[in-house]
Amino acid sequence: MYIAEAFKYHHEFWRYILGTLLVIAGVVIGQIPLAVVIFLSGGMEVMGMDESQIMQILEPNLNLFLMLLTFAVGLVAVFLAVKFLHGQSLKSLTTSRKKIDWSRVFFAFGLVAVLTVLLSLADYYANPEDFVVNFKPVPFLILTLIAIVMIPLQTSFEEYFFRAYLMQGIGVFAGNRWLPLIITSVVFGGLHFFNPEVTQMGNIIMTYYIGTGFMLGIMTLMDEGLELALGFHAANNLVAVLLVTAEWTAFQSHSILKDVSEPTAGWDVLIPVFIIYPALLYIMARKYGWTDWKHKLFGKVEAPQTLKLSEEA
């Protein structure tokens, strides 16, 4: 039982409150380099700019690196909180298996990477007027190096904080699986509310962000580990950053293509959540033999019997 792994370590509720505050502090500290460089580059005029204008101040590769640095510092904060507040191992934060299953990480990464490339190519050939070729060899090479190193740190931070640390902490406190699934998914999606995409496309895109949170949460609970979610999230963000950018997206980059269409949200926002995500869950369920969906998504969370006996003794 993945959530029940937390019972083996210090799992008092106050520790999770303090740990969450430490992680938030880490993210704030991680934002300082970006804020300082933007202010030095843009001067006092930055104070009157909106988010999309601020993101145009720095060279895209430098801007991307500093943005991702925020999450890298946050990831370090998660690991420090887990180690020193809870005395918990990285393995138990990652999986309920005897060791981290890297084959699951690579399977999910490959599956999502291939799917993302195919869908992006299909969109490009179906609507060529919506794109311009943005490829420049040297900036793209630098982008690739930054993305390969930093994107996995960004996505790992979000997975280890939401689908691991908070999922286990809320699950232990609530004694069930459905509440941490709902809370972590809604909060994860809700934090994207301040992305420039929401301003451009409207609140309907929150369906995609919250739906993605539920997808990753279901994946984690059904597989009793974080490996598939780690691979899925890394591939989704990495391939997207390298393939397509737009002036109104959160990540500006020297990608291969640039979307110049007018941003709108319709069925293209709902299709991933209600068609593609269920299909991916079906593929993973068949590959890894997932059963007992009702219990794994809605069942109780109890301390392992051996732990109960040792405490009573």
Side-chain angles (χ1 to χ4, degrees), residues 231-286:
F232 178 103
H233 203 162
N236 182 72
N237 287 26
L238 178 60
V239 176
V241 163
L242 294 177
L243 279 185
V244 183
T245 190
E247 293 185 355
W248 42 268
T249 58
F251 286 159
Q252 303 289 305
S253 69
H254 289 291
S255 59
I256 296 174
L257 299 172
K258 185 173 183 178
D259 187 342
V260 294
S261 64
E262 186 68 24
T264 58
W267 285 105
D268 54 334
V269 173
L270 303 179
I271 286 174
V273 176
F274 296 106
I275 297 179
I276 296 176
Y277 287 175
L280 290 174
L281 287 174
Y282 176 77
I283 292 172
M284 293 177 183
R286 290 296 300 270

Side-chain angles (χ1 to χ4, degrees), residues 10-51:
H10 301 300
H11 56 274
E12 294 84 359
F13 190 63
W14 68 266
R15 295 180 188 271
Y16 285 98
I17 296 295
L18 181 56
T20 299
L21 293 176
L22 289 175
V23 172
I24 294 173
V27 171
V28 172
I29 292 171
Q31 291 175 335
I32 293 175
L34 175 62
V36 169
V37 175
I38 287 178
F39 183 78
L40 292 177
S41 301
M44 294 301 295
E45 294 180 3
V46 172
M47 304 300 293
M49 296 181 181
D50 59 31
E51 186 175 359

Side-chain angles (χ1 to χ4, degrees), residues 108-123:
F109 184 94
L111 178 64
V112 175
V114 170
L115 179 63
T116 303
V117 170
L118 291 177
L119 291 175
S120 298
L121 289 176
D123 190 19

